[in-house]
């Protein structure tokens, strides 16, 4: 018997995100539409802006930083990679499995002041930090 987690609010939350996307101002520099059909899960992020750079911190535990691709094209920063499913021991009876696995893909629109040539990324304790200096 498989145990499946039921989240009754997930449908309403998705509906709210869809409505927000429909009514978002077209001229806005924010682009929170950061998932695509091939994305299995979406890491949580914090984004901050300092006087000299933008910093994005993404929670990606269990993924080697070498296996994460960070790129920027046309002022859109892309973070993608994959968290593989750990091999489970057959003799163990799992009561609950909540940790997500598979492909992840996030995109963020940045202003023209972002310098794509000087992006740096590092990972520590399951957190990916991407620093995008300003021109």
């Amino acid at each position: 018997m498989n145990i499946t987690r039921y989240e009754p609010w997930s449908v309403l939350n998705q509906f709210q995100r869809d409505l927000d996307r429909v009514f978002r101002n077209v001229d806005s520099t924010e682009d929170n539409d950061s998932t695509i059909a091939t994305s299995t899960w979406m890491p949580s992020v914090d984004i901050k802006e300092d006087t000299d750079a933008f910093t994005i911190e993404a929670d990606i535990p269990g993924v080697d930083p070498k296996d994460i691709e960070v790129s920027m094209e046309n002022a859109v920063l892309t973070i993608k990679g994959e968290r593989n499913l750990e091999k489970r021991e057959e003799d163990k009876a799992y009561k609950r499995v909540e940790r997500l696995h598979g492909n992840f893909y996030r995109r963020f629109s940045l202003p023209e002041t972002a310098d794509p040539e000087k992006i740096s990324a590092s990972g520590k304790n399951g957190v990916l930090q991407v620093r995008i200096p300003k021109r």
Side-chain angles (χ1 to χ4, degrees), residues 14-30:
Q14 181 62 44
F15 181 67
Q16 180 66 45
R17 284 191 296 272
D18 290 344
L19 281 176
D20 289 345
R21 191 176 316 125
V22 168
F23 293 110
R24 184 181 302 138
N25 185 351
V26 176
D27 296 328
S28 173
T29 58
E30 291 184 6

Side-chain angles (χ1 to χ4, degrees), residues 2 85-95:
N2 290 335
L85 180 64
E86 296 175 3
K87 184 176 180 181
R88 301 225 168 103
E89 298 175 27
E90 294 300 322
D91 61 338
K92 303 289 182 190
Y94 286 91
K95 300 294 183 192

Side-chain angles (χ1 to χ4, degrees), residues 64-81:
D64 190 335
K66 295 180 289 189
D67 297 332
I68 300 170
E69 182 181 327
V70 178
S71 61
M72 186 165 153
E73 186 176 336
N74 298 327
V76 176
L77 180 79
T78 302
I79 301 172
K80 65 181 176 177

Side-chain angles (χ1 to χ4, degrees), residues 22-110:
V22 168
F23 293 110
R24 184 181 302 138
N25 185 351
V26 176
D27 296 328
S28 173
T29 58
E30 291 184 6
D31 181 13
N32 292 328
D33 185 19
S34 55
T35 61
I36 61 169
T38 60
S39 184
T40 307
W41 63 283
M42 189 170 61
S44 300
V45 298
D46 292 337
I47 302 172
K48 64 182 176 180
E49 179 180 3
D50 296 325
T51 57
D52 60 338
F54 300 95
T55 303
I56 297 175
E57 293 179 336
D59 288 341
I60 310 178
V63 179
D64 190 335
K66 295 180 289 189
D67 297 332
I68 300 170
E69 182 181 327
V70 178
S71 61
M72 186 165 153
E73 186 176 336
N74 298 327
V76 176
L77 180 79
T78 302
I79 301 172
K80 65 181 176 177
E82 181 176 3
R83 179 167 44 206
N84 296 316
L85 180 64
E86 296 175 3
K87 184 176 180 181
R88 301 225 168 103
E89 298 175 27
E90 294 300 322
D91 61 338
K92 303 289 182 190
Y94 286 91
K95 300 294 183 192
R96 178 179 235 151
V97 177
E98 293 185 352
R99 295 184 303 153
L100 299 172
H101 64 278
N103 296 321
F104 62 88
Y105 185 91
R106 295 290 310 255
R107 294 177 52 176
F108 306 94
S109 293
L110 296 172

